[in-house]
């Protein structure tokens, strides 16, 4: 069984600030750093650092070659990644406050240049039973769900960031959703975790759901049974990419046949370690460090 993550690759510009800037306000930052990022890249890095074998697909400009090199160094197969000559790599402008909380503005760049031909070319390399992981930072996610569903691939969807494009996707093709509370509310209109899970079971009865709750941990449900995993308490330095770390880790563990309970526990440990370090991909621990 192969796992392909068709996901974003971003260059993150991270500004450390005392407080996230308010509308109309101008603030001086405490420092700025450039990191590899993108929800797609972060999740592939986490999957690989958890010991899993993953293919990454996605588009970059020439300014993003170091992102591909980072993925390859971690052991991800990047033979499906393409470099565009006429477009820059996706960018993320991130503020991180003194509590480690973040606020992100994206510029999609190459991530938004997917075509039907490229999507078909990538998925032609995979077959029934393989897994396709998607987030919502690239174009053509609805098409990718359709194509993967037709082939009998398992579609795993992290609808982040949540916007109208998510609701236009054929979500009945999804076998596993990974959501935070905002994304859960966007899909169901419910705010409370139990209500989100109940509504998801009603709307998507064939899907499993993992709902992450930040410092309150995470829940898994298949509509009949629910399991919970507590978060490991840490003092956060930078929460950017914590959810991506959880996602990559939980999927890597599940892909090698570990049970959901053990997989969630390992993922929670990895996410806790990640928030004690700066940056997104750079903060993701290797499994031996946990
Ligand atoms: O989830 C964190 C990521 O969101 C960052 O790396 C940034 O690139 C944005 O995509």
């Amino acid at each position: 069984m192969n796992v392909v993550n068709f996901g974003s690759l971003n260059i993150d510009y991270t500004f450390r600030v005392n407080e996230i800037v308010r509308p109309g306000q101008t603030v001086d930052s405490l420092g700025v750093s450039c990191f590899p990022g993108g929800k797609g890249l972060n999740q592939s890095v986490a999957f690989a650092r958890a010991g899993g074998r993953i293919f990454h697909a996605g588009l970059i400009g020439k300014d993003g070659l170091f992102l591909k090199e980072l993925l390859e160094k971690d052991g991800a197969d990047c033979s499906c990644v393409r470099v565009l000559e006429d477009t820059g790599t996706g960018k993320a402008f991130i503020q991180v406050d003194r509590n480690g909380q973040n606020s992100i503005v994206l510029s999609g760049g190459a991530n938004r240049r997917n075509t039907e031909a490229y999507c078909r070319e990538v998925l032609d390399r995979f077959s029934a039973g393989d897994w396709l992981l998607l987030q919502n930072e690239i174009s053509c996610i609805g098409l990718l769900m359709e194509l993967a569903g037709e082939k009998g691939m398992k579609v795993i969807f992290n609808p982040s960031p949540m916007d109208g494009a998510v609701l236009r996707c054929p979500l009945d093709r999804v076998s596993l959703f990974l959501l935070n509370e905002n994304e859960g509310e966007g899909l169901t209109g419910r705010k409370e975790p139990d209500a989100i899970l109940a509504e998801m079971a009603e709307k998507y009865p064939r899907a499993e759901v993992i709902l992450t709750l930040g410092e309150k941990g995470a829940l898994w449900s298949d509509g009949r049974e629910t399991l919970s995993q507590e978060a490991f308490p840490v003092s956060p330095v930078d929460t950017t990419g914590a959810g991506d770390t959880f996602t990559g880790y939980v999927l890597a563990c599940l892909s090698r046949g570990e049970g959901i309970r053990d997989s969630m526990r390992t993922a929670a440990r990895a996410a806790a370690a990640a928030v004690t370090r700066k940056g997104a991909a750079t903060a993701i621990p290797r499994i031996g460090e946990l």
Side-chain angles (χ1 to χ4, degrees):
M1 189 267 293
N2 290 310
V3 182
V4 55
N5 179 9
F6 206 132
S8 57
L9 303 105
N10 287 340
I11 302 172
D12 289 357
Y13 295 97
T14 301
F15 297 81
R16 301 213 62 99
V17 290
N18 273 322
E19 286 177 16
I20 305 287
V21 68
R22 293 190 302 277
Q25 195 186 23
T26 302
V27 298
D28 209 0
S29 72
L30 305 172
V32 59
S33 310
C34 179
F35 291 112
K39 296 181 198 307
L41 177 143
N42 297 338
Q43 293 178 19
S44 283
V45 168
F47 195 104
R49 290 189 187 168
R53 192 171 144 266
I54 190 154
F55 291 81
H56 191 94
L59 300 175
I60 50 176
K62 284 186 283 188
D63 54 342
L65 286 172
F66 73 100
L67 302 174
K68 183 169 175 252
E69 284 161 14
L70 172 100
L71 279 167
E72 283 169 340
K73 205 166 142 212
D74 272 306
D77 184 315
C78 289
S79 53
C80 297
V81 172
R82 298 282 175 271
V83 184
L84 300 182
E85 295 291 322
D86 60 344
T87 309
T89 300
K91 313 276 184 317
F93 301 92
I94 305 177
Q95 297 174 55
V96 177
D97 73 13
R98 57 177 171 243
N99 299 315
Q101 298 305 312
N102 67 70
S103 166
I104 303 178
V105 178
L106 296 173
S107 169
N111 294 314
R112 296 279 168 199
R113 292 279 306 275
N114 290 317
T115 60
E116 179 170 347
Y118 174 51
C119 294
R120 287 186 182 279
E121 177 195 324
V122 170
L123 291 197
D124 274 353
R125 295 185 53 181
F126 300 93
S127 48
D130 289 343
W131 293 8
L132 171 67
L133 169 61
L134 295 169
Q135 311 78 28
N136 184 32
E137 282 187 345
I138 61 167
S139 50
C140 295
I141 52 171
L143 172 68
L144 285 161
M145 285 178 192
E146 283 294 358
L147 294 175
E150 281 164 14
K151 290 177 86 84
M153 291 177 74
K154 173 174 170 144
V155 177
I156 300 166
F157 187 34
N158 168 220
S160 181
M162 184 69 204
D163 65 17
V166 167
L167 302 175
R168 291 191 291 277
C169 288
L171 297 177
D172 55 323
R173 295 285 199 188
V174 177
S175 300
L176 170 60
F177 289 92
L178 292 121
L179 313 171
N180 65 21
E181 287 161 286
N182 285 337
E183 293 143 13
E185 184 182 354
L187 284 179
T188 64
R190 304 304 187 95
K191 283 186 190 298
E192 292 302 316
D194 289 347
I196 291 170
L197 292 180
E199 189 69 23
M200 287 296 292
E202 181 81 25
K203 286 177 87 165
Y204 310 107
R206 288 180 302 172
E208 294 173 59
V209 178
I210 294 177
L211 182 63
T212 57
L213 307 170
E215 61 192 21
K216 288 179 269 132
L219 299 170
W220 165 88
S221 178
D222 64 357
R224 295 174 294 281
E225 195 186 347
T226 300
L227 297 177
S228 72
Q229 171 62 52
E230 289 186 352
F232 290 84
V234 287
S235 299
V237 170
D238 182 351
T239 55
T240 314
D244 299 331
T245 304
F246 187 97
T247 295
Y249 258 81
V250 82
L251 294 177
C253 293
L254 290 172
S255 74
R256 55 178 172 250
E258 293 179 27
I260 185 66
R261 197 180 281 283
D262 287 347
S263 300
M264 296 240 292
R265 185 172 167 78
T266 305
R269 291 176 71 191
V275 302
T276 63
R277 307 170 187 181
K278 291 182 183 174
T282 46
I284 299 169
R286 290 185 170 72
I287 192 144
E289 297 175 65
L290 297 186

